[in-house]
Amino acid sequence: MRKGLGVKIAGLLAGLALLAGCDMPAPPGAGGPTTAPRPVDAGQAPGKTAPSGESLALAAYYGKLQADLLSQGLLRTDGGGRDAPFGARDLARNFEQITFFDEYERGAGLRASSGRPVPLRRWTQPVRVNVEFGPSVPEDRQRADRGAVSAFAARLSDASGHPVVMDAARANMHVLIYSEDDRAFLPQRARELAPGISQGALSVFRNLPRQIHCFVMAFSGNGPQMHTYTRAIIVIRAEHPDLLRNSCVHEEMAQGMGLANDSPRARPSIFNDDDEFAHLTRHDALLLKMLYDPRLSPGITLDQARPIIAQMAEELLGGPS
């Protein structure tokens, strides 16, 4: 569990892998909204309706949180330096923990994981990304966020060696940037993007707790394809200041590639609950490269993969140190 931004949730809901990240402490007195947010008119020009009090309060809270974390030297964007060395053994250990374990028991909501390893999960088809916005999000903010998502999609593709491209017409990874005032539209949009979505999964969109400010749901196939991702939906709150919003882009899109868990020993890494790094690090880019190495495949178990993992880490970092 994160001390600053919160927890990740990893579970399976009727064929759905839920990887929810950046779960934050609720603002004072905010145990969750007691009334539905005031939705803006979906037909209005973007960002032309004044934000509600709920949305303004969230924006103020997240702004203060970002400032507090930065004052502690957290949310680094340097990718890790000499103060955060790691060797092949570190990389192999962290890959095992982040790829083959879940933080929560699959299919059991927020019940802590039993600690048993799970098979590897990843995409086999190209990841085609689209970013869309709730009607309250201003056009200038939309342009900036589209640029951030597009740039990070290119970085994911380069790091993993797996195609990750912007393709609105054939998208299978949907990045939804919605404000509190747009939240009433989320359940219907989830149904449109994931026909047959379970009621348990849909409830996350319908009753989004204030303490969760971004998450990813990665949907897998059935039968032989049960460990292969076919679709992902990422939700990011529009109220975040720039750095927190971009950290959500990095973390949730990378998680949606198949790096599902956190590890307190992973450093330098965004897959750690300490909030030290906001952007994908060199360490994390190597994890993606390992995840999509052809020597591994969806469904491979940790016992089967362990010797391959050690070999890959040594190849990347030049020895077992």
Side-chain angles (χ1 to χ4, degrees):
M1 180 175 293
R2 288 197 173 192
K3 299 170 185 171
L5 296 185
V7 302
K8 289 189 179 72
I9 302 167
L12 193 68
L13 300 174
L16 157 68
L18 168 61
L19 314 170
C22 299
D23 177 9
M24 296 172 45
T34 56
T35 59
R38 172 183 56 79
V40 301
D41 184 351
Q44 263 190 318
K48 297 302 182 182
T49 300
S52 67
E54 292 92 338
S55 181
L56 290 172
L58 282 174
Y61 178 74
Y62 296 142
K64 182 179 185 302
L65 176 67
Q66 177 176 288
D68 288 346
L69 293 172
L70 287 170
S71 72
Q72 300 172 56
L74 303 176
L75 296 180
R76 291 170 56 177
T77 59
D78 57 18
R82 292 183 178 180
D83 65 313
F86 62 95
R89 289 177 181 168
D90 302 312
L91 186 66
R93 178 199 64 223
N94 296 340
F95 182 81
E96 290 183 11
Q97 288 298 313
I98 292 167
T99 305
F100 287 92
F101 291 87
D102 289 332
E103 188 169 358
Y104 290 87
E105 192 72 22
R106 293 162 65 86
L110 293 176
R111 190 172 73 198
S113 171
S114 64
R116 292 188 296 270
V118 298
L120 182 143
R121 295 155 293 187
R122 72 181 190 196
W123 298 78
T124 55
Q125 61 181 306
V127 179
R128 300 182 294 270
V129 183
N130 182 42
V131 56
E132 63 180 70
F133 301 86
S136 76
V137 182
E139 290 180 348
D140 58 345
R141 183 70 263 161
Q142 293 189 23
R143 286 192 294 271
D145 289 346
R146 280 197 185 94
V149 171
S150 179
F152 191 62
R155 186 172 179 197
L156 282 177
S157 185
D158 182 64
S160 66
H162 185 78
V164 183
V165 298
M166 301 300 294
D167 187 344
R170 300 182 299 157
N172 51 24
M173 179 179 279
H174 305 269
V175 181
L176 314 184
I177 301 179
Y178 279 39
S179 79
E180 181 70 6
D181 295 333
D182 305 320
R183 186 163 58 85
F185 301 117
L186 276 174
Q188 179 57 35
R189 192 67 185 116
R191 290 191 195 96
E192 293 167 354
L193 296 174
I197 187 172
S198 72
Q199 288 301 310
L202 197 61
S203 68
V204 180
F205 294 90
R206 183 180 294 114
N207 304 307
L208 184 63
R210 285 179 187 250
Q211 65 266 31
I212 295 179
H213 69 100
C214 54
F215 66 89
V216 57
M217 286 188 177
F219 297 75
S220 58
N222 298 314
Q225 302 300 313
M226 67 180 299
H227 303 300
T228 299
Y229 290 152
T230 59
R231 183 181 299 117
I233 303 174
I234 293 167
V235 175
I236 299 173
R237 287 189 180 271
E239 285 87 359
H240 297 313
D242 289 348
L243 185 53
L244 282 184
R245 192 165 53 252
N246 286 338
S247 75
C248 275
V249 169
H250 281 232
E251 185 169 7
E252 305 311 330
M253 289 182 70
Q255 269 199 286
M257 295 292 288
L259 298 173
N261 195 22
D262 279 336
S263 171
R265 300 177 69 183
R267 184 173 188 262
S269 181
I270 58 174
F271 303 107
N272 188 315
D273 285 340
D274 62 7
D275 305 327
E276 183 178 6
F277 291 91
H279 289 175
L280 197 81
T281 67
R282 173 174 174 262
H283 168 278
D284 300 333
L286 293 177
L287 295 182
L288 285 164
K289 186 177 182 66
M290 294 168 69
L291 177 63
Y292 283 88
D293 189 293
R295 286 170 286 186
L296 301 178
S297 58
I300 193 172
T301 67
L302 177 55
D303 286 343
Q304 293 169 329
R306 185 168 276 133
I308 304 171
I309 294 168
Q311 181 181 358
M312 291 190 297
E314 291 180 15
E315 290 171 358
L316 292 169
L317 294 178
S321 62

